C-alpha cells in the first residue's frame, strides 16, 4: 500500500504529470521530502493470510507464504514466535536501541486472543524522497478557444492533487489485489488507514474501521470516520436501488425497523429509503419480505448479512453466506481524506496524532485515549523520545486488559479486546518533529 | 406544498400509522399544534407560472391561470398591480393592521427587475392543529420470532418520524406535480424551503438554493445547505456512472478542470471521478471529449449545461438544450432536514430564524444578515411586534438596492439582486413566541 501511495505522490511531482494547470499556490519544489506514512492495516473477513496489503509488489507470493510482522519491530525468529503467542499476548514495540521511527513516532501492537492464527493487523512507516522537475510536457495552460458555453478553467490546488494521488493509490492497490487474486488464488481483504506528511500538511486517508484522532492541548480532533453499514446506509441503498440486479432477488434495498413477516403483507410499516434520514410509512408488498440489504446495529450491522465494514481493499471474491451473490460491488476502496495543516498551530511535545485499529477503538473511547495521552506523556520529560512508544504501549495494554478467569479483562471488569490491536503515536511537535 | 407537509404530519400522529414501535421519547399527545410553516418557494428554470407549489390541490388549474401573491399580504387588485411593477420594485409586507403572522413572524418580498413577468417566489404561513389518537392497529410491537440472524428492533425516535413525514411530503408533492403536468400541461419546477415547528423543535427542510440561518446572540447557525451542481457533484457523477444510459452518449460523468480538446487524445490530464474529492491524472480517451455532466463554477455551475439547482419539485419535462435528453433523473426532490431544539437554549427577542430565497443570498452574506439583524432589532423595543417585519424589509431593501443609471445598485455601488427576493423572520424568543 505504501508503495502505491509513494508512487502516486512521486508521479504527481515528477515529469509525467507536470504541475497542475494554473496552480494558485506556489509550484512544488524540485525535491521534496514525502512522508512518514504510517498505515495500520487490518485484514478483514474472511480471515486472510498475513502481510497482504503492505507487502511490496515483488515477491508477493513468497511474502504471503510466510507470516511476518512489521520490519521496524526487528523481531528475531524467537521474538516472532513470542509475538505470535495467543496465551501470553505480549505487547510488541520497536527496540529502544537502534534507529527510531521518524519524528520519534511510537508504536505498539498485540496479537488477538485466538480468533485467528496470526496477527492480521499490518503496519509500516517510511520516509521517502520524491524528486520533481518542472513540467516540460503535459496539459496546455491556455484556456481552450472555440468552446462556447465553456466556463473558466477550474482552480486545482496542490492539496487537492495530493488528495487525488492518495485516492488514486487506494484504487490502484485494489486493482492490484484483484490481479493477484486471479494469479495466485490469494483471497481476503483489509481496511487501510494511511498518513502522509507533505509540505507542512498531514493527510489522513481512511477506508474501513480504523480510526485517527489528534489530541492537541487535551482537545480531540477527529481525523477519520469509520465506514460501516450504518454510516454508509444511504450509499448502499442507492446502489441497490439503481442496480437491483446486484440484489439478486434475495435482498431489498429498503430498511425496516425489524424483519417484515409474511402475515404483515398489505399492512403499513415504517421504512427508510435511500433518500431518507427519517422514517415514513408504506404498505408492505411482496418484495419487502426479502432480507434487507443493510441490517443490524452497532458492531452487528451487516451488508447482505455478511460484512460489517463497507470500505477497504480486496475482498474481490467475497460472496453472501450460502449464496453466489457477490458483495464486492457494495464495497468501496476509496478513502475519505482529511487534511490537517501543521503550520496553523504552534504544537507542543504533548500534541499527538493517534492511529489505532478497531481492536483499540472497540473498547476505548476518544476521551479515554486523550486521558491516557495526558497521563503517560506527563510522566516523561518532554524531550524523551521514548515517551511516544510508552504511550502506544499503554493504549494497547489498556485495550487488551489482563488475563483472568473468564478471558481478558479491563480494570472495570469489562471484557478487553480479543482482537489484534495496533497503535501509532505520531508527535506533532515532538523532539524529532518535521521542523 | 404546505398541505402535503400538514397531511403527512397529520398522518403521522393520527390513527393510520399508530405510534412507532418502541419509541424512546414519550408518546405524541392527542392534540398538538403544528407549526408556523413558512416556506418561500422559488420557481426555477424554465420560468413557471406563479402559484405552483404552494397552491391547494383543488382548483389548481384555475389558480395557475391567474397570478397571485401570498394571501397574508392582503393585496387589493391595485396593490397586486403595484407589487407586479418591475420599475418601482416596491417592497411588500403584510399590513400593520389586521392579524399578524404566528409568533409575530416578519415577512417582506420584492419582484425581480424584469427577468420574468411575475414574482416567481411564493410563500405561505399557517398554524395547523393535528389530532392524534392512540394506536388501535398498525405494526405489532413484539419482536418477531423464528427469524434467525435478525437483530433487535431498531429504535425509532419521534424526531425521525417527523423528519420522515416531511421527506415523504416532498416526494408526494413531486409526484403530484408529475400528475398535474400530464393532466394540465403545467410545466416548470421550483425549489422549496419549509419550516415546521412541533413539540419544541424546529424542523428546517430545504431542497434547492434558498437558505435558512439562525442568528442567536450574534452567532450564526446554518440551518440549511444549498443544493447545486457543485455541492452535489459526487451524487450526480455516481448516477451518471451507474446509469450511463442517462448520459445519452452526449455527456461524460468525469470532471476535468477545463474542456478536453480532440487534439489532446492520448495525453494525460487531471480528472475527478465520483469517488474522488481530489484530482488525479488519466490518459484522455474518446469518451472524455464529451461534454461533462457537471460543469462551471459558482452561479454558473450547471448539470448537463442546463440547470443550476439540483434539488426541488417538478421540472419533470425539463430537457437538455437542443436535445431530448431528460434532466429530471438527476434532480432530487428530497430535502435535507435539520432539527433545532428550541428548549435547549433560553432565547431572547433578538434571536431569529431567517429564511431567504436566492435573491437575498446572491448579494448578502450570512454575516451581513447578522449585522442587519442586530442593527434593525436594536432600534425597536423588544416587545414591539412590528420589528420583525421591519427587519425583513431592511434585508429585502439591502439586497435590492436603489435604481441608478445602470440598474439597481447597493450602497457600495455593486449590483443589487435583479431576482425576486423573499424573506421570513421567525422570532425564536419574541413577543408571540411558542411558549
Amino acid at each position: 500500500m505504501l508503495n502505491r501511495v509513494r508512487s502516486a505522490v512521486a508521479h504527481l511531482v515528477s515529469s509525467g504529470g507536470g504541475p497542475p494547470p494554473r496552480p494558485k499556490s506556489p509550484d512544488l519544489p524540485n525535491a521534496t521530502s514525502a512522508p512518514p506514512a504510517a498505515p495500520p492495516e487490518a485484514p478483514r473477513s474472511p480471515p486472510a493470510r498475513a502481510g497482504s496489503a503492505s507487502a511490496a509488489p515483488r515477491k508477493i507470493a513468497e511474502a504471503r507464504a510466510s507470516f511476518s510482522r512489521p520490519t521496524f519491530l526487528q523481531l528475531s525468529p524467537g521474538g516472532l514466535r513470542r509475538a505470535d503467542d495467543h496465551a501470553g499476548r505480549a505487547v510488541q514495540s520497536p527496540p529502544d536501541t537502534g534507529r527510531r521511527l521518524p519524528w520519534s513516532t511510537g508504536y505498539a501492537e498485540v496479537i488477538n486472543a485466538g480468533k485467528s492464527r496470526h496477527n492480521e493487523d499490518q503496519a509500516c512507516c517510511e520516509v521517502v524522497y520524491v524528486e520533481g522537475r518542472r513540467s516540460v510536457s503535459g496539459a496546455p495552460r491556455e484556456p481552450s478557444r472555440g468552446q462556447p458555453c465553456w466556463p473558466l478553467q477550474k482552480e486545482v490546488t496542490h492539496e487537492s492533487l495530493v488528495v487525488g494521488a492518495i485516492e488514486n493509490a487506494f484504487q490502484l492497490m485494489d486493482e492490484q489485489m484483484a490481479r493477484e487474486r486471479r494469479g495466485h488464488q490469494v483471497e481476503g481483504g483489509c481496511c487501510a488507514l494511511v498518513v502522509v506528511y507533505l509540505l507542512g500538511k498531514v493527510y489522513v486517508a481512511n477506508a474501513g474501521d480504523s480510526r485517527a484522532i489528534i489530541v492537541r492541548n487535551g482537545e480531540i480532533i477527529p481525523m477519520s470516520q469509520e465506514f460501516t453499514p450504518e454510516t454508509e446506509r444511504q450509499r448502499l441503498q442507492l446502489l441497490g436501488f439503481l442496480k437491483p440486479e446486484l440484489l439478486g432477488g434475495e435482498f431489498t434495498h429498503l430498511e425496516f425497523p425489524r424483519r417484515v413477516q409474511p402475515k404483515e403483507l398489505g399492512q403499513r410499516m415504517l421504512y427508510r429509503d435511500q433518500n431518507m434520514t427519517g422514517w415514513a410509512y408504506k404498505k408492505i408488498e411482496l418484495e419487502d419480505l426479502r432480507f434487507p440489504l443493510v441490517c443490524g446495529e452497532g458492531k452487528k450491522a451487516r451488508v447482505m448479512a455478511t460484512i460489517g465494514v463497507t470500505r477497504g481493499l480486496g475482498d474481490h471474491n467475497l460472496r453472501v453466506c450460502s449464496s453466489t451473490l457477490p458483495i464486492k460491488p457494495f464495497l468501496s476502496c476509496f478513502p475519505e481524506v482529511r487534511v490537517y495543516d501543521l503550520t496553523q498551530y504552534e504544537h507542543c511535545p504533548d500534541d499527538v496524532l493517534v492511529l489505532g485499529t478497531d481492536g483499540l477503538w472497540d473498547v476505548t473511547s476518544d476521551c479515554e485515549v486523550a486521558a491516557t495521552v495526558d497521563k503517560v506523556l506527563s510522566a516523561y520529560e518532554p524531550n524523551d523520545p521514548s515517551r511516544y512508544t510508552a504511550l502506544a504501549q499503554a493504549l494497547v495494554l489498556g485495550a487488551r486488559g489482563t488475563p483472568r478467569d473468564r478471558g481478558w479483562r479491563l480494570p472495570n471488569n469489562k471484557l478487553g479486546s480479543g482482537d489484534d490491536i495496533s497503535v501509532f503515536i505520531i508527535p506533532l511537535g515532538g523532539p524529532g518533529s518535521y521542523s
Side-chain angles (χ1 to χ4, degrees), chain A:
Chain A
M1 183 68 208
L2 179 62
N3 288 287
R4 278 294 177 196
V5 174
R6 180 168 48 191
S7 73
V9 174
H11 212 68
L12 173 69
V13 295
S14 70
S15 62
R22 293 178 50 195
K24 201 180 187 181
S25 28
D27 273 341
L28 286 165
N30 282 348
T32 166
S33 101
E41 290 173 335
R44 214 166 51 187
S45 66
R49 283 176 240 166
S52 58
S54 59
R58 293 161 292 143
K59 299 194 183 172
I60 280 158
E62 303 96 285
R64 281 175 201 281
S66 65
F67 171 70
S68 74
R69 296 311 306 150
T71 48
F72 59 69
L73 288 179
Q74 302 174 38
L75 291 175
S76 64
L80 191 59
R81 274 194 304 278
R82 279 189 298 278
D84 215 14
D85 170 22
H86 299 88
R89 296 188 83 192
V91 174
Q92 306 295 321
S93 279
D96 226 10
T97 56
R99 254 181 63 189
R100 290 196 182 280
L101 295 179
W103 299 7
S104 300
T105 289
Y107 176 82
E109 63 165 53
V110 75
I111 195 170
N112 62 77
K115 74 163 210 173
S116 64
R117 185 173 159 211
H118 293 303
N119 187 338
E120 296 186 335
D121 287 359
Q122 277 297 356
C124 64
C125 185
E126 266 189 64
V127 177
V128 296
Y129 293 90
V130 182
E131 257 187 46
R133 64 169 195 245
R134 300 270 164 178
S135 167
V136 288
S137 67
R141 291 168 181 231
E142 292 302 308
S144 57
R145 274 180 293 272
Q147 300 285 355
C149 303
W150 185 257
L152 288 173
Q153 191 164 302
K154 291 218 166 147
E155 278 177 329
V156 175
T157 62
H158 279 167
E159 185 177 303
S160 71
L161 288 171
V162 178
V163 170
I166 294 171
E167 290 170 330
N168 209 229
F170 273 70
Q171 188 178 23
L172 293 173
M173 187 73 222
D174 193 53
E175 289 168 6
Q176 181 176 314
M177 288 169 78
R179 285 192 300 274
E180 286 172 16
R181 181 179 73 83
R182 287 192 296 271
H184 302 275
Q185 278 77 47
V186 179
E187 300 290 349
C190 68
C191 64
L193 175 60
V194 174
V195 175
V196 174
Y197 169 76
L198 185 68
L199 296 171
K201 288 178 179 169
V202 171
Y203 298 81
V204 180
N206 183 47
D209 59 0
S210 295
R211 188 189 301 172
I213 63 171
I214 283 174
V215 181
R216 190 183 72 186
N217 195 19
E219 184 195 355
I220 293 159
I221 304 168
M223 288 303 295
S224 68
Q225 64 157 317
E226 284 94 273
F227 294 100
T228 69
E230 282 182 303
T231 64
E232 295 224 274
R233 173 183 64 83
Q234 289 185 280
R235 176 180 75 77
L236 299 164
Q237 286 187 303
L238 177 64
L239 187 55
F241 170 72
L242 292 175
K243 296 265 190 190
E245 65 273 20
L246 296 177
L247 302 173
E250 299 179 37
F251 293 89
T252 168
H253 76 280
L254 294 183
E255 187 188 16
F256 300 94
R258 57 170 180 75
R259 185 72 190 268
V260 182
Q261 298 177 37
K263 66 179 179 190
E264 294 174 304
L265 259 177
Q267 292 183 20
R268 278 156 38 83
M269 190 181 265
L270 290 168
Y271 80 104
R272 279 205 292 198
D273 208 339
Q274 79 279 355
N275 296 303
M276 298 167 66
T277 59
W279 298 88
Y281 281 99
K282 81 178 294 277
K283 194 187 270 189
I284 294 297
E285 296 163 84
L286 208 55
E287 288 189 1
D288 302 327
L289 300 178
R290 295 175 185 164
F291 204 86
L293 173 63
V294 175
C295 84
E297 287 182 290
K299 288 297 283 181
K300 289 182 178 165
R302 292 286 180 275
V303 178
M304 294 177 137
T306 306
I307 190 165
V309 185
T310 50
R311 297 212 187 183
L313 306 167
D315 278 332
H316 290 87
N317 203 33
L318 190 60
R319 311 267 159 181
V320 173
C321 309
S322 56
S323 162
T324 58
L325 212 54
I327 292 175
K328 182 67 177 174
F330 290 93
L331 307 178
S332 170
C333 66
F334 279 85
E336 184 209 29
V337 185
R338 295 194 187 179
V339 186
Y340 181 80
D341 190 341
L342 276 177
T343 65
Q344 294 297 302
Y345 189 89
E346 189 86 24
H347 293 89
C348 77
D350 288 5
D351 297 332
V352 291
L353 172 58
V354 181
L355 314 183
T357 52
D358 56 337
L360 173 70
W361 302 107
D362 283 350
V363 297
T364 324
S365 70
D366 292 1
C367 288
E368 287 166 338
V369 166
T372 305
V373 168
D374 180 49
K375 200 180 76 181
V376 174
L377 294 187
S378 62
Y380 286 77
E381 290 296 319
N383 61 353
D384 182 345
S386 69
R387 66 205 301 257
Y388 304 109
T389 292
L391 173 54
Q393 290 169 337
L395 287 170
V396 168
L397 274 171
R400 183 202 69 178
T402 47
R404 290 202 228 151
D405 290 350
R406 293 158 297 126
W408 294 80
R409 296 276 168 179
L410 306 181
N412 60 10
N413 208 35
K414 283 192 179 159
L415 271 180
S417 173
D419 207 347
D420 304 309
I421 312 167
S422 305
V423 172
F424 271 109
I425 304 292
I426 305 178
L428 300 179
S433 93
Y434 58 97
S435 64

